[in-house]
Amino acid sequence: MDKRHNLLFALFVVFMLVLGSAAPAVAANNSDNKPNDGNSNKKINNVIVMVPDGCDQNIQTLARWYSGEELQLDSMYTGMVSTNMANSVITGSAAAATAFATGEKTTVRFLGVGPRAEDLLSIYDAEDMAEPYVPLATVLEGAKLEGKATGLIATSSITHATPAAFAVHVHDRGMDSEIMEHIVYQDIDVVFAGGEQYLDSDRNDGEDLKQVLLDEGYQYVTTTDEMEAVTTGQVWGMFASKHMQPEMSRETTEEPSIVEMTEKAIELLSEDEDGFFLMVEGSQVDWAGHANDPEYMVTDFLAFDEAVKAAVNFAEEDGHTLVIVFPDHNTGGMTIGNYDTSYTDLTVEELVDPLKGEEGTVEIGWTTGGHAGGDVPLWAYGPDKPTGLLDNTELATCVADAFGFNLEDVGEELFVEVDEAYPGIWSLDLTDSDNPVVVIERRGVVAELPVSKDILIIDDTEYDLEGVVVGVPMADGNSVLTADDDFYIPQEAVDIIDEKISEGFSGRWSLDLSDSENPAIVFDNDSVVVKYLYTQNILIIGDEAFDLIDILGSI
């Protein structure tokens, strides 16, 4: 090593010794910066969000006529919800779910990431929106950071838009393999739905996510009886290869009803003394609307209403649970009455009997086979229940406020951009292109972070993180992950990596007090020994001494 290199190296050492001593204090402060620290005495301990996908109040009216009884929802009406997304007055399901899961508007098909800037509705300014494609923190992720148990229920595949939006950060709702990987690695306590094929047989990356769940200690069930036998702990229930059966066909299967799944989830989640967050979706109300099938729609809606009743029964007894219910949007534009209906003399029997398979003319009208853009009902029960006309983004704020955290804080805790934290010292390992790994290397420390997982590996030691590693392939205009894209890791990973780097550095220096009048900091990097006589500002490299004041003055 020549004198110039020795000198530069020595200056770097001194700089790191002086500033490095402050780093642990900064890192410790960051690691404690979690939302709502110390707020354990909140009035609301539990929040249950329930979504009858794709409907409006007309199905509630029809369900009341069809059943001949009042519904649970009839006593819970508190307001309306507006549903537009970032780039259309009529929303898609992924964008709608992202809105009420994250509090941010986004683009059609996006799940848990910010909207495109180029096609925003005219009412929006890009500067006021979330940054394009960046991961957005969800209320489920916020609840996890609060130490609460979490659960997701759907009658579709768990990878469908509404449940996925609470746990996933991808740019296309059709990425079922990637979506399932995010959900598995989010450490959700209770998951009941369909979609088993995306755990193993229908994956494009060769991974066996069912085995991952078993290795993590989850109970894994596939029938009603197996689900009912679970009395404690974490559980995944996969009751269909893809989607579960409609309510009117379910009795011929071993699948649980939506009310049975809801009751079991509440039973298990309520064991957590810190409270819980649960999202329940009646997924197929929407599919019936797309099909313009009133019998399918009303029977699935009635089954959903029974699940709401189960949630409210628990909330009444508990006293610290908020239940919020709303459709994500309307589908089909159903009306009671159509162009052929004699609207002044329609009897109950003429309305209901054809829907039950009896003779007669169906007196239901439809305006579309797709979604509709009108406001949808808001139903709620419990302390501080929301009222009035709310935008769908405000529903996320309701949940966050109930639990006492701020979604921006959650985002800062879970999504640190790798290139900002470690500029120039990270790379993307694409040896297995279906399973990319972010690699950070510094001072002999090699940290590996597999994308879409909650794992950090350093020196064969594996750390479980509080969130998943997110890659943003759309940042460079295409959908393939490369080193030119943006990657985000939890602050917890940054803290662990920085601590390991600091440990590697700190083990190479010592304090020499052999001459009490001239104490020295000594750094040994195997090839050269550097002494810093800090009372004299003198650097000694080998047998040569340098006056640090003179050196700095000449730079």
Side-chain angles (χ1 to χ4, degrees), residues 221-530:
V221 300
T222 59
T223 67
T224 302
D225 289 344
E226 290 175 351
M227 181 189 77
E228 293 297 348
V230 176
T231 58
T232 190
Q234 295 179 303
V235 58
W236 266 63
M238 291 280 96
F239 304 111
S241 176
K242 194 169 185 181
H243 305 305
M244 297 176 69
Q245 289 295 310
E247 179 61 24
M248 58 188 180
S249 306
R250 185 186 55 79
E251 289 188 0
T252 61
T253 74
E254 294 185 285
E255 298 175 4
S257 66
I258 189 171
V259 63
E260 290 169 330
M261 292 190 289
T262 301
E263 289 172 338
K264 178 56 68 172
I266 291 173
E267 173 191 333
L268 297 172
L269 296 172
S270 60
E271 291 182 334
D272 193 315
E273 293 181 355
D274 295 316
F276 67 85
F277 171 80
L278 173 63
M279 195 290 301
V280 180
E281 184 197 32
S283 316
Q284 300 190 36
V285 178
D286 172 70
W287 303 351
H290 281 293
N292 289 178
D293 185 333
E295 181 185 6
Y296 183 6
M297 196 175 200
V298 75
T299 51
D300 260 60
F301 187 83
L302 283 168
F304 175 83
D305 188 69
E306 287 297 311
V308 175
K309 183 176 181 179
V312 171
N313 286 345
F314 171 80
E316 286 178 339
E317 183 176 348
D318 171 71
H320 300 282
T321 298
L322 174 62
V323 181
I324 308 175
V325 189
F326 51 87
D328 52 348
H329 52 74
N330 187 12
T331 301
M334 189 197 79
T335 61
I336 297 175
N338 55 44
Y339 280 108
D340 298 323
T341 301
S342 177
Y343 62 86
T344 58
D345 60 359
L346 180 65
T347 67
V348 174
E349 292 74 20
E350 287 172 333
L351 174 63
V352 171
D353 289 353
L355 305 184
K356 296 183 176 180
E358 299 181 23
E359 290 187 10
T361 301
V362 174
E363 304 288 353
I364 300 298
W366 304 90
T367 64
T368 178
H371 296 178
D375 298 341
V376 294
L378 173 64
W379 304 279
Y381 175 88
D384 295 334
K385 61 186 178 184
T387 61
L389 175 62
L390 277 67
D391 185 72
N392 54 8
T393 56
E394 294 178 283
L395 297 166
T397 306
C398 289
V399 178
D401 287 349
F403 284 152
F405 61 76
N406 181 288
L407 282 163
E408 266 189 42
D409 294 341
V410 176
E412 290 176 4
E413 187 73 19
L414 294 180
F415 307 119
V416 177
E417 190 172 349
V418 172
D419 203 43
E420 290 186 1
Y422 301 105
I425 62 169
W426 71 276
S427 60
L428 186 66
D429 183 352
L430 291 171
T431 304
D432 180 351
S433 60
D434 291 324
N435 294 285
V437 179
V438 173
V439 181
I440 297 163
E441 298 185 67
R442 191 175 190 186
R443 296 187 198 145
V445 175
V446 179
E448 299 176 309
L449 297 118
V451 177
S452 300
K453 296 179 172 62
D454 64 340
I455 295 171
L456 165 64
I457 303 168
I458 301 177
D459 295 331
D460 296 324
T461 299
E462 187 173 299
Y463 302 86
D464 289 329
L465 302 174
E466 57 194 8
V468 295
V469 176
V470 179
V472 184
M474 293 300 290
D476 62 3
N478 64 57
S479 60
V480 180
L481 278 175
T482 71
D484 294 326
D485 292 312
D486 297 331
F487 295 85
Y488 296 82
I489 61 177
Q491 177 64 45
E492 180 187 21
V494 175
D495 294 340
I496 294 171
I497 294 168
D498 287 353
E499 181 180 355
K500 293 298 179 182
I501 291 172
S502 177
E503 287 175 0
F505 181 80
S506 62
R508 312 297 294 276
W509 71 275
S510 59
L511 185 63
D512 182 357
L513 296 174
S514 57
D515 182 352
S516 59
E517 294 183 2
N518 295 292
I521 295 172
V522 181
F523 184 84
D524 183 356
N525 79 332
D526 298 331
S527 63
V528 65
V529 176
V530 178

Side-chain angles (χ1 to χ4, degrees), residues 177-192:
S177 288
E178 191 80 5
I179 289 168
M180 184 63 93
E181 188 170 19
H182 277 227
I183 297 172
V184 165
Y185 282 97
Q186 283 282 19
D187 295 335
I188 301 166
D189 296 280
V190 175
V191 175
F192 291 149

